[in-house]
Amino acid sequence: MRPGDLRSHRWYGGDELRDFSHRTRTRQLGINPEEHLGKPVIGILNTWSDINPCHMHLRERAEQVKRGVWQAGGFPLEFPVATLSETFQKPTPMLYRNLLAMETEEILRSYPIDGAVLMGGCDKTTPALLMGAISAGLPAIFVPAGPMLRGHWRDEVLGSGTDMWKYWDDKRAGLIGQRELDELERGLARSPGTCMTMGTASTMTAAAEVLGLTLPGASSIPAVDSAHHRMAAASGARIVGMVWEDLRIGTVLDERAYADAVTAVLALGGSTNALIHLVAMAGRGQVPLSLDDFDATARRVPVLANLRPFGEFLMEDFYYAGGLRGLLSRLTDLLHTDRTTVTGKTLADDLAGAGVYRDDVIRRRDDPVAAEGGVAVLRGNLAPGGAVIKHIAAQQDLLRHTGPAVVFDDYADLKRRIDDPALEITEDSVLVLRGSGPQGGPGMPEYGMLPIPERLLAKGVRDMVRISDARMSGTSYGACVLHVAPESHVGGPLALVRDGDPVILDVPGRRLELDVPDAELAARRAAWTPPPPKFERGYGALYSSHITQADVGCDFDFLARAGHNPEPDPR
């Protein structure tokens, strides 16, 4: 490309009134012509916020990205975009993933931007930024926020989320008291960055790297490591090169890239949320990807990353053991290493020299954590559209289980009754939560790791079969069947379950069945009444009118469909 070919030239390079106006207002910003004219304009989309601890260092990292852009001869412009804080936003940031995706797409489309640097990492931020960038179609590179440091309490190393659930149950069971809980509160999260377990954040930033959208090794670097500063600057420099090369995001993201992302997510034992997000991302590019692709890949990909919530180690250990590049170097026969990444080179080039330095953290192929990928897709009369379970993080004797249902109509009902002494429940019961899907939640909150009753915790029970149309945190664990589709709020079979109904879970057989005669289910369906809508106006009403189900990515139907929007005319 030449300077006159730049997209930003359409705003700045002509001799008409609007070009003069754009140049005038740029001088108002204190910017001289030689600083930006004829140079790639790089939009830096920054999800920094005072209320997002995962991203609290991104204000500083944006300055390092700008340094790289300037050094490579580009002109950076920073855009603050919505932050999706997993720890604070209610009912769930998943409700707003598509809102950030829309904002990303429209900012990139409507401003004089030639290429984009996308800065994020907290769970829903990564897919939201990437979905918007895919729809916009410009050159784009992703800068992951990076995981936080290990947690510590007394003589124990802690993993955020994972150990929070563990010790909260210990508190409910009477094994620890308020003093211990206060100490844990100060030790679980000790630095900027995302969860340091293989939760949704690290799963999705790893997926972004495997897709070819980050610099090699970027997703594993701890947030506070000086290598993270250098990566940010190098990413800023690289996006300038991508603009001149006209290396667009759609060129990188083909069917092979998504197949490799699925392989990597499964080898990492990654979050179940990745299934929803990757399906949605692929849909934006009209690349076919389904739950069945995950399940088929899981049967041939071993789990090599020995990371919590199911393993021993944390992301800091993973980084020093060789990081994602090290893990991928042990899977090259399962990857499409001849495809192009944002480096302009092939994945094989990006993996050159990668190695593993601790076999206990990143296992060998002949000594895996598990012989098959840790996620399974289930189907049956209870989940005709599919459901998922992270069986590697479950109590293994529960993976084939039949038990009577104990049904909760929504999360408020669950909280109110789970510890009621009158509740008829045993460790063999199957906890069923409905009203928690994309429409019913609303937003499909992370309710899927249903709490175990206190009286069972006190007896030493630490896992039970739990089924819901909700999601669960990638840091969670247990025999939790999630994402049941279609959800109960729209009349899915989960809406028909009653207390005492036998529920059959058969993970090896990939079955989820309600052992109730078809005629009885038909009678229940005829008597079922749709619940009222959750929203009457605003974004929530838009969401409710257009959100799709979990098996197809929970995108908005009007964003996922094929079609092209014209470039805006800045004149």
Side-chain angles (χ1 to χ4, degrees):
M1 292 182 67
R2 296 168 298 178
D5 300 323
L6 294 171
R7 186 172 179 272
S8 58
H9 182 78
R10 296 172 47 241
W11 274 260
Y12 291 120
D15 55 6
E16 298 185 8
L17 172 62
R18 301 309 297 172
D19 304 278
F20 173 72
S21 173
H22 296 145
R23 293 192 297 267
T24 296
R25 292 301 188 176
T26 306
R27 302 303 158 260
Q28 180 185 7
L29 291 169
I31 298 164
N32 291 315
E34 59 271 19
E35 293 183 72
H36 74 102
L37 290 179
K39 297 179 178 181
V41 176
I42 305 302
I44 302 170
L45 274 60
N46 192 351
T47 53
W48 171 88
S49 168
D50 271 333
I51 201 165
N52 194 335
C54 303
H55 295 180
M56 62 182 179
H57 57 306
L58 293 188
R59 174 183 274 179
E60 177 188 4
R61 291 296 178 278
E63 295 304 312
Q64 286 132 17
V65 172
K66 291 176 186 177
R67 186 179 83 217
V69 172
W70 281 318
Q71 289 174 342
F75 181 72
L77 292 173
E78 186 177 354
F79 293 80
V81 293
T83 192
L84 306 181
S85 177
E86 195 66 39
T87 47
F88 290 103
Q89 195 166 26
K90 290 185 176 181
T92 168
M94 184 65 178
L95 185 66
Y96 303 103
R97 184 198 66 180
N98 298 342
L99 183 62
L100 175 55
M102 291 172 68
E103 182 183 20
T104 298
E105 177 181 353
E106 298 308 324
I107 282 177
L108 296 182
R109 188 188 309 283
S110 60
Y111 282 98
I113 293 173
D114 298 303
V117 178
L118 312 169
M119 303 185 68
C122 191
D123 296 10
K124 313 307 176 293
T125 309
T126 299
L129 291 169
L130 295 178
M131 288 162 67
I134 291 165
S135 295
L138 301 181
I141 193 168
F142 185 71
V143 172
M148 69 176 90
L149 297 176
R150 304 178 189 93
H152 282 280
W153 176 58
R154 298 181 180 179
D155 63 340
E156 293 189 36
V157 174
L158 302 176
S160 55
T162 302
D163 283 305
M164 179 182 73
W165 316 123
K166 173 183 179 295
Y167 285 109
W168 188 257
D169 278 352
D170 282 353
K171 172 67 164 56
R172 293 177 64 223
L175 301 178
I176 62 173
Q178 190 60 44
R179 175 182 173 183
E180 288 83 3
L181 213 60
D182 290 345
E183 293 174 3
L184 285 159
E185 187 176 303
R186 294 188 290 270
L188 267 167
R190 300 172 44 246
S191 79
T194 58
C195 291
M196 77 299 261
T197 53
M198 185 46 68
T200 304
S202 287
T203 300
M204 290 310 302
T205 55
E209 180 175 338
V210 180
L211 286 166
L213 299 178
T214 78
L215 292 182
S219 67
S220 307
I221 305 170
V224 296
D225 195 294
S226 64
H228 200 267
H229 301 238
R230 300 191 296 272
M231 177 272 294
S235 298
R238 178 57 198 148
I239 189 61
V240 176
M242 290 175 65
V243 170
W244 289 126
E245 297 160 21
D246 199 25
L247 179 54
R248 295 171 179 258
I249 193 168
T251 304
V252 175
L253 293 181
D254 60 15
E255 209 165 329
R256 300 171 300 166
Y258 284 103
D260 290 350
V262 171
T263 295
V265 164
L266 293 166
L268 288 165
S271 169
T272 50
N273 289 294
L275 280 71
I276 293 177
H277 297 319
L278 284 172
V279 167
M281 289 164 56
R284 288 300 186 96
Q286 305 304 305
V287 176
L289 185 66
S290 72
L291 296 184
D292 291 336
D293 294 315
F294 282 86
D295 197 66
T297 303
R299 296 175 187 270
R300 61 184 177 84
V301 173
V303 178
L304 301 185
N306 186 14
L307 301 174
R308 299 183 198 183
F310 57 86
E312 300 176 60
F313 298 101
L314 298 168
M315 286 300 296
E316 200 174 343
D317 308 301
F318 183 68
Y319 174 62
Y320 295 120
L324 187 65
R325 292 177 71 244
L327 180 135
L328 296 179
S329 73
R330 292 187 161 172
L331 296 168
T332 52
D333 59 307
L334 301 177
L335 302 172
H336 301 84
T337 58
D338 57 340
R339 60 184 177 84
T340 302
T341 74
V342 292
T343 63
K345 302 174 183 178
T346 66
L347 179 61
D349 294 327
D350 292 350
L351 295 178
V356 174
Y357 311 112
R358 285 189 61 181
D359 288 335
D360 56 340
V361 179
I362 303 173
R363 304 283 276 272
R364 300 186 310 274
R365 289 277 287 275
D366 61 0
D367 182 31
V369 177
E372 291 188 359
V375 175
V377 176
L378 311 173
R379 296 188 187 274
N381 69 352
L382 199 48
V388 303
I389 183 171
K390 189 172 183 177
H391 55 88
I392 193 174
Q395 188 174 302
Q396 297 300 290
D397 64 348
L398 293 175
L399 300 184
R400 274 197 176 101
H401 182 82
T402 299
V406 178
V407 183
F408 302 94
D409 286 327
D410 54 31
Y411 193 65
D413 182 34
L414 171 72
K415 289 178 66 178
R416 183 172 59 250
R417 293 197 295 124
I418 191 64
D419 290 322
D420 186 343
L423 184 67
E424 295 185 8
I425 190 169
T426 72
E427 61 191 90
D428 294 322
S429 299
V430 175
L431 301 177
V432 175
L433 173 65
R434 56 189 172 213
S436 301
Q439 293 269 9
M444 208 179 178
E446 293 182 342
Y447 296 159
M449 188 181 171
L450 279 64
I452 295 171
E454 284 184 358
R455 64 180 183 271
L456 295 182
L457 288 172
K459 291 171 56 178
V461 176
R462 285 296 183 271
D463 201 1
M464 294 175 66
V465 174
R466 291 160 272 183
I467 299 173
S468 72
D469 45 16
R471 298 176 301 108
M472 77 175 185
S473 168
T475 66
S476 299
Y477 50 86
C480 302
V481 178
L482 312 160
H483 311 180
V484 171
E487 63 173 307
S488 60
H489 193 86
V490 299
L494 210 62
L496 310 179
V497 184
R498 294 181 179 173
D499 285 339
D501 285 349
V503 177
I504 302 169
L505 171 64
D506 179 6
V507 175
R510 301 303 198 255
R511 286 198 309 138
L512 184 65
E513 297 278 349
L514 188 64
D515 192 11
V516 173
D518 291 344
E520 170 63 19
L521 291 177
R524 294 182 189 180
R525 180 169 298 284
W528 180 77
T529 303
K534 292 283 184 177
F535 297 98
E536 295 183 356
R537 57 164 302 283
Y539 172 74
L542 174 72
Y543 173 94
S544 298
S545 297
H546 295 283
I547 194 67
T548 61
Q549 289 292 297
D551 57 317
V552 290
C554 295
D555 202 357
F556 288 159
D557 52 14
F558 63 87
L559 294 176
R561 66 184 177 221
H564 177 72
N565 290 335
E567 278 282 297
D569 184 354
R571 293 173 177 79

